[in-house]
Amino acid sequence: NPAPTASSSLPRASRVVVPLPALALAITATWGFNFVVIKVGTDGVPPLLLAALRFAFVSVPAVLFVRRPRASWLLVAAYGLFLGVGEFGLLFTAIKLGAPSGLSSLILQAQAFFTALLAALFLRERFSLHSALGMLIAACGLGVIGWQGNQPGAWGGHFAAALAMLIGAALMWAVANILAKQIGDVGALNLIVWSSLAAPLPLLALSLWFEGAAAISASLTSLSWLSVGAIAYLVVLSTLFGYAAWNHLIVLHGAGRVAPFSMLVPIFGVTAGAACLGEAFTAYHAFAALLVIVGLAVHTFGSSRSGAPVTMLGTWKEGIQAL
């Protein structure tokens, strides 16, 4: 997941030369492949327990080495609850129920539109015409997924429930984004490490309630190396590396140059799901993905000056050449 705005919490970052395209592509590929790892992880560990382990290991022992964000404890804890318990609890459970990892990475991008709506309602930010148009285009893409996917036995027979959970996860992410704006510029890694302290116990309680002590005990006593690797990936690569590196790039290059790369996450996610898990990716899925990504682009760059899309395309061209 893309990090909040960077801060001066990395005082020496400006002294390090980092190639923007190569590192940005590495981060977005890591986040895209993250959905395949979630699928693999929930095969061996109950989803709510897996989410609890992820945030437990993200926060401990990192809190001993990462500076506490200078922000309200209440806001930081609320951010951790909406992100960890809300977004990832729902996302992990939806994928366990049968939601394809690739399409999950795509549907989750609805958070951008929920964020814009919530910012207009609670922060009195302007909800512009281009945002409404982008939302309409992306909603058509999600509609294609719903129309084509709602077949008997789809998504393990849990299509409606899993789709509702994914949309709910996007909404929870959007609430976390609003809280991040309220918290301010305290550093992405600082915020994610310390806010993660709020998530493990509620997730564990939910796991005990919904998944049961027997399932928890069985998964922990028979933990495979594949499950351990999935947890390590979620903690080290997806969270700690991803957020720290994304924050580093924003410090060096500015959010305007870095943000467009986040739109590549669902592309990597869909590709990884098809390549690694054999998930079906039909012409309908391709059309839906195109609509969602075009909607995101209209929402993100619709109000920019005419040179902004050219700059965006030029930055992506740099990334392709870096490969």
Side-chain angles (χ1 to χ4, degrees), residues 37 41 45 50 220 222-235:
V37 174
V45 180
L50 181 64
L220 292 178
S222 60
L223 203 62
S224 68
W225 284 109
L226 192 60
S227 297
V228 172
I231 295 170
Y233 185 101
L234 293 171
V235 172

Side-chain angles (χ1 to χ4, degrees), residues 3-5 75 79 174-186 191:
T5 305
L75 286 177
Y79 176 86
V175 175
N177 288 339
I178 298 301
L179 289 169
K181 289 188 177 184
Q182 295 292 94
I183 291 169
D185 202 2
V186 297
L191 178 59

